[in-house]
Amino acid sequence: MTKLDMEEIKTLTELINEKLGITISEAEKMGFRGGGGVSTSGGETVEEEIVVKTAFDLKLTGFDAKKKIKVIKEVRAMTGLGLKEAKDMVEGAPKTIKNDIKMEEAEELKAKLEAVGATIEIS
């Protein structure tokens, strides 16, 4: 049994499944083989659902030490935090500044923060 090739193993598996009354759908078979698109027996292709990310997080990963005060002011302006909270957030980098925002807003805020010396990551 150790000298069987893949085709013989497949045939043997199908015979055993048939004898035991086990049915494996085409989708499950493709999953076992690591196939990308799932094909049904009718020749139709079942499309995999693609998830598009719509909410992003803006994360402060670092800043220029010489421009720390400007970064704190900008973080304070965009988050509405008090001076102490904004300072703690900047000094505690890496920190998430804003959660669940649109990509356009994230890009805009990233540009503003990078202009004052911050290093930003959008995730």
Side-chain angles (χ1 to χ4, degrees):
M1 187 135 175
T2 59
K3 295 182 181 180
L4 298 175
D5 66 3
M6 290 302 291
E7 189 62 36
E8 292 171 329
I9 292 173
K10 180 183 174 215
T11 306
L12 181 62
T13 305
E14 288 173 354
L15 290 173
I16 292 171
N17 287 341
E18 183 181 316
K19 188 71 169 177
L20 297 175
I22 299 171
T23 57
I24 299 177
S25 70
E26 288 293 318
E28 290 171 332
K29 287 180 185 178
M30 291 300 287
F32 290 135
R33 290 187 213 134
V38 178
S39 177
T40 61
S41 59
E44 303 169 16
T45 301
V46 178
E47 295 182 24
E48 293 179 11
E49 192 171 320
I50 299 172
V51 179
V52 178
K53 189 171 181 179
T54 58
F56 298 88
D57 295 338
L58 191 69
K59 185 176 184 178
L60 174 70
T61 57
F63 59 91
D64 183 5
K66 295 177 184 177
K67 298 181 179 182
K68 179 178 170 182
I69 293 172
K70 290 180 181 180
V71 174
I72 292 170
K73 285 181 180 179
E74 192 62 41
V75 167
R76 185 174 178 214
M78 62 179 58
T79 59
L81 294 173
L83 182 60
K84 183 182 182 330
E85 291 85 6
K87 180 179 181 271
D88 291 343
M89 182 179 280
V90 171
E91 289 175 345
K95 290 273 188 175
T96 301
I97 297 174
K98 287 210 153 210
N99 293 325
D100 300 328
I101 57 176
K102 293 182 180 179
M103 182 54 119
E104 295 81 23
E105 183 182 358
E107 289 289 341
E108 181 182 317
L109 296 175
K110 178 181 178 182
K112 285 182 182 179
L113 284 165
E114 286 180 340
V116 295
T119 307
I120 301 296
E121 179 181 296
I122 298 174
S123 57

